Amino acid sequence: MTDLSTTIAGVKFPSCVMNAAGALCVTRDELVALGKSRAGAIVTKSMTVEARQGNPEPRYYGFPGGSINSMGLPNLGYRAYAELIPELKQFGKPVIASVAGLCEDDFPTIAAVINAAKPDLIEVNLSCPNIPGKPQIGYDPEASERLLKRVRKVITVPMGVKLPPYFDPAHHEVMGKVIGRCEVDFLNMINSVGNGLVVDPDREEVVIKPKGGFGGLGGTIIKAVALANVRAFYKIFQGKIPIIGTGGVMNGVDAFEHFLCGASAVQVGTVLVEEGLGAFGRLEAELAAQLKKKGYGSVTECRGKVKEL
Ligand SMILES: O=C1NC(=O)NC(C(=O)O)N1
C-alpha cells in the first residue's frame, strides 16, 4: 500500500493532502468537519485580531480552470481560534494555525496567544492580496524579515511562512536570504496569484465586487506558477526546509507534480471549495495510483526528483 503520510518539521501528517488556509476552515463546524474528513491536517482560516465579516459579496467566483477571490480575511478573530485549538487536536491530525494581521504589530500579538494554545504548527501568512489598501507583506523583504523575527521570538512550535508567488529569480534569491535569517521551519507556497481580473463577456461585468473585481487567482491556471516557486525555493534550500506545495492541485497527478518539484505535502483550496470534503478521498486515491504507476512507495521517495533536460 502506498504511503501517503509525511513529516514536516518533526510533525507527522497521516496524509500529505490537506486544506489550504481559507478553504472551508473559518467556523468551528467547518474545522470539526475537516477533522472528521480524510484531510491530513486541519488548517485554520488566517486569523486577525478582531473577528471580520470580510469583503462585500460576491467575493468568490469559480470557473473552468480556476477561481478568483477577494474574501477579505473573514474569520472569528484569534481569541476564538485559541479556544478552539485544544478541541481540534483530538482528531489525530496536526492543527496548523494560520496567522495574519492588518498591520505588523498584529502578528506577534496573535502569534503569542495562539502559540500558548499549542497548535502543532503555526503558518504566518505574509501574502493576503485582498485587504484594500494593504500591500502583500511578502513583496517587501525588509518588512517580511522584521515581522518574521518578531513572531519567531514568541513562537515555540514549528513556524512556517505562506508566501505569495514570485516571478523573478532575483526575488527568489532575496526572499531565500530573508527566510534563511529568520529560523523558519517550513515554507508554504504559493498563496493565490494576487490581483487578477476575471470578466464576464456576456454581462460585460467583472465577476466579484471588492476592489473593482481584482482578486487572488487559484486553481489549474496558477499551477505552473506554484510549481516554479516550489522548485525555486527547494533548490535554494537544497531540500533542507520542508515545503508545502499549494496552487493548482485539482487531482492526484497535480499533487505528484508538486512532490516532484520538491514539496513535502500539498494543500488544496479551489478544488475543495468546488467539490467539498470528498475531494480528499479522490485526491489520495489518484495520488496513490500515480505513485504506484511510477514505482514510488511514498511521496518522500519522489520528492524533488523532477529531471531537468
Ligand atoms: O491570504 C489570502 N489569500 C486569498 O487568496 N484570499 C484570502 C482572503 O481574501 O481572505 N486570504
Side-chain angles (χ1 to χ4, degrees):
M1 181 62 189
T2 311
D3 178 9
L4 295 185
S5 71
T6 191
T7 300
I8 291 177
V11 178
K12 186 135 174 67
F13 289 66
S15 164
C16 59
V17 183
M18 66 199 79
N19 72 295
L24 307 187
C25 60
V26 174
T27 66
R28 177 189 170 280
D29 288 353
E30 286 178 324
L31 292 164
V32 167
L34 279 170
K36 292 175 177 170
S37 78
R38 294 193 55 79
I42 300 173
V43 184
T44 72
K45 173 65 186 176
S46 295
M47 56 191 81
T48 52
V49 172
E50 301 303 331
R52 289 175 58 83
Q53 292 300 317
N55 290 338
E57 296 180 338
R59 59 193 189 182
Y60 174 90
Y61 180 83
F63 52 90
S67 66
I68 184 169
N69 91 83
S70 182
M71 307 305 286
L73 292 174
N75 75 96
L76 304 177
Y78 77 105
R79 297 176 189 84
Y81 294 110
E83 284 175 27
L84 271 176
I85 285 167
E87 176 188 359
L88 298 177
K89 289 183 71 171
Q90 71 180 353
F91 291 101
K93 60 184 75 171
V95 174
I96 303 181
S98 176
V99 170
L102 299 181
C103 66
E104 184 179 314
D105 287 352
D106 285 355
F107 285 80
T109 299
I110 296 168
V113 171
I114 285 300
N115 185 72
K118 288 279 168 265
D120 295 285
L121 306 99
I122 291 178
E123 183 178 283
V124 182
N125 182 355
L126 299 185
S127 42
C128 176
N130 301 323
I131 304 297
K134 299 275 183 190
Q136 294 178 75
I137 299 167
Y139 286 145
D140 177 341
E142 289 76 22
S144 296
E145 182 158 2
R146 202 169 49 240
L147 188 152
L148 286 174
K149 285 178 173 170
R150 289 181 65 186
V151 292
R152 179 74 272 185
K153 289 195 174 81
V154 298
I155 291 176
T156 57
V157 302
M159 177 185 88
V161 58
K162 178 78 171 279
L163 291 172
Y166 300 98
F167 300 93
D168 188 303
H171 299 160
H172 298 147
E173 292 300 322
V174 166
M175 283 312 293
K177 289 189 170 60
V178 167
I179 289 158
R181 294 193 291 263
C182 295
E183 299 170 75
V184 170
D185 299 307
F186 70 95
L187 299 174
N188 183 344
M189 50 198 56
I190 58 175
N191 207 314
S192 56
V193 173
N195 296 293
L197 182 62
V198 173
V199 171
D200 176 336
D202 301 328
R203 300 166 66 100
E204 301 176 34
E205 276 177 352
V206 300
V207 296
I208 57 173
K209 187 175 177 76
K211 291 178 61 176
F214 283 62
L217 303 176
T220 301
I221 53 172
I222 71 163
K223 183 174 73 173
V225 175
L227 293 178
N229 278 268
V230 168
R231 183 72 179 151
F233 285 88
Y234 179 78
K235 291 176 85 168
I236 287 172
F237 291 107
Q238 300 170 319
K240 292 184 177 60
I241 298 187
I243 296 173
I244 298 176
T246 305
V249 177
M250 310 302 285
N251 57 51
V253 176
D254 296 332
F256 178 63
E257 292 173 25
H258 269 275
F259 291 111
L260 285 179
C261 290
S264 295
V266 292
Q267 289 184 351
V268 290
T270 300
V271 73
L272 212 43
V273 174
E274 295 296 322
E275 189 173 324
L277 297 176
F280 290 119
R282 175 177 66 82
L283 289 165
E284 280 191 335
E286 290 172 353
L287 175 57
Q290 178 69 6
L291 289 169
K292 188 168 189 304
K293 176 182 161 190
K294 293 293 194 164
Y296 292 109
S298 69
V299 293
T300 310
E301 243 181 85
C302 71
R303 184 169 83 104
K305 290 284 194 306
V306 69
K307 292 172 282 193
E308 297 187 5
L309 301 179

